[in-house]
Amino acid sequence: MSSFSSSLLALVRLTRPHQWVKNVFVFAGLVFSQSWGNALLDLRVLQAFAAFCCASGLVYILNDWHDRASDALHPVKRNRPLASGAVTPGSALGLAAALLAAGMFLAAGNRTLLLLLALYVALNIAYSWRLKQVPVVDVSIIAAGFMLRLLAGTVAVGIPPSRWLLLTGIFMTLYLGFCKRKAESFQDEASQRAVMAHYPTALLDTFIATTMTATLTTYSLFATSPEAQLQHSERLLYTVPVVIFGLLRYTYQVHRGRGEDVARDLLRDAWLLGAGALWLAIFLSHRF
């Protein structure tokens, strides 16, 4: 591989494109409102998705730039492009500026989307530079990032958000955040982030159980609500066991030390991928 290709690949890795799967939360409003098929609305949601991909890449770059010295001493993080020296700090900041400009261009003309993007970037910078060391606040910011994506795909493009969608989203994202901390607890103590000292195992298990139960409760209430039955048909009820299985399977993986990287671990588990495909098939079956 040429030097140019290696440098380009390192720059791409710096933005962590595998993490962009988290931005699919932007499509939640379009899917649950069944508004797809409207070309203008579809384009707006795709633009919001692309804008959040730029924003999340920007956040990862700034995080790695800020932590490059400490990451160089970490047994795993030292392989990151900035920590390893594969990308220079100047090149990283240049790419960050380009992503900022691209995100603003994609959101141009939509003040609500611009505001949500600005809030997402500000929260994540505060998280990376200080708040990731504050217990519970750290996970709440992770959850807020997901909720901002969800709002970008609803409010920002003119789709009224369902109260059930918002409630389920809040609990689901908190569940994923605490699962991430649980998975990190399996690392060697020297490799763990400082905030892990404030998360005893029993406390994390309680947080995970509570948020998973709340997620299942709110999703089940949504699936059985009269408005959901009217809009999505009775088949939506059959997705509840699939969601239960998916959450239990993911919790099982977390207790095996997986789940630190939500995007990566979701894509590597065939049972979770199968559950997602089955949920989608049931959800869309009434349209065919």
Side-chain angles (χ1 to χ4, degrees):
M1 184 180 293
S2 69
S3 176
F4 174 77
S5 297
S6 298
S7 299
L8 184 60
L9 180 60
L11 283 171
V12 172
R13 284 177 51 222
L14 190 61
T15 65
R16 303 187 204 175
H18 73 283
Q19 296 284 3
W20 295 352
V21 70
K22 297 176 182 178
N23 295 325
V24 298
F25 267 68
V26 171
F27 294 101
L30 191 67
V31 171
F32 281 98
S33 67
Q34 299 191 43
S35 301
W36 63 83
N38 181 323
L40 181 59
L41 197 59
D42 291 347
L43 178 61
R44 287 176 180 171
V45 175
L46 283 171
Q47 284 181 315
F49 171 78
F52 264 90
C53 288
C54 292
S56 58
L58 165 65
V59 165
Y60 286 125
I61 291 172
L62 293 179
N63 174 73
D64 286 2
W65 177 85
H66 180 263
D67 293 343
R68 62 190 186 280
S70 59
D71 284 352
L73 303 176
H74 191 278
V76 176
K77 295 179 181 180
R78 65 186 179 187
N79 295 317
R80 289 178 175 177
L82 268 169
S84 65
V87 173
T88 65
S91 297
L93 292 178
L95 179 57
L99 288 173
L100 176 61
M104 292 179 66
F105 173 77
L106 288 165
N110 189 330
R111 292 183 179 179
T112 304
L113 181 56
L114 278 170
L115 178 62
L116 292 172
L117 280 171
L119 187 55
Y120 172 83
V121 172
L123 275 175
N124 278 278
I125 289 176
Y127 170 86
S128 297
W129 292 14
R130 175 68 183 90
L131 296 182
K132 65 183 178 183
Q133 300 173 13
V134 183
V136 180
V137 173
D138 61 331
V139 173
S140 297
I141 291 179
I142 294 173
F146 282 106
M147 294 306 298
L148 288 170
R149 293 174 173 98
L150 193 153
L151 289 173
T154 54
V155 176
V157 298
I159 300 173
S162 161
R163 65 184 186 277
W164 293 116
L165 179 62
L166 293 177
L167 281 172
T168 303
I170 289 170
F171 292 124
M172 179 70 172
T173 54
L174 285 170
Y175 163 77
L176 291 173
F178 287 120
C179 281
K180 177 178 171 64
R181 291 293 179 262
K182 176 69 177 181
E184 290 171 352
S185 70
F186 286 86
Q187 297 177 354
D188 294 335
E189 191 171 336
S191 303
Q192 293 179 9
R193 63 181 75 222
V195 75
M196 292 305 298
H198 302 284
Y199 280 123
T201 299
L203 181 62
L204 283 173
D205 289 342
T206 299
F207 285 163
I208 290 172
T210 301
T211 52
M212 182 173 69
T213 301
T215 300
L216 292 175
T217 300
T218 51
Y219 183 81
S220 298
L221 288 171
F222 158 69
T224 56
S225 65
E227 57 267 37
Q229 292 283 304
L230 181 64
Q231 184 175 21
H232 303 288
S233 86
E234 191 177 278
R235 289 185 178 88
L236 189 62
L237 179 63
Y238 305 141
T239 65
V240 174
V242 181
V243 172
I244 293 172
F245 170 81
L247 291 179
L248 291 177
R249 175 70 184 181
Y250 192 72
T251 304
Y252 161 75
Q253 292 287 30
V254 167
H255 279 77
R256 297 176 63 205
R258 301 177 183 177
E260 180 183 351
D261 188 326
V262 178
R264 180 193 63 203
D265 292 318
L266 279 174
L267 295 174
R268 288 184 177 179
D269 188 293
W271 288 102
L272 284 172
L273 288 174
L278 179 59
W279 181 92
L280 194 61
I282 296 172
F283 183 80
L284 297 177
S285 62
H286 74 284
R287 294 180 62 88
F288 302 102

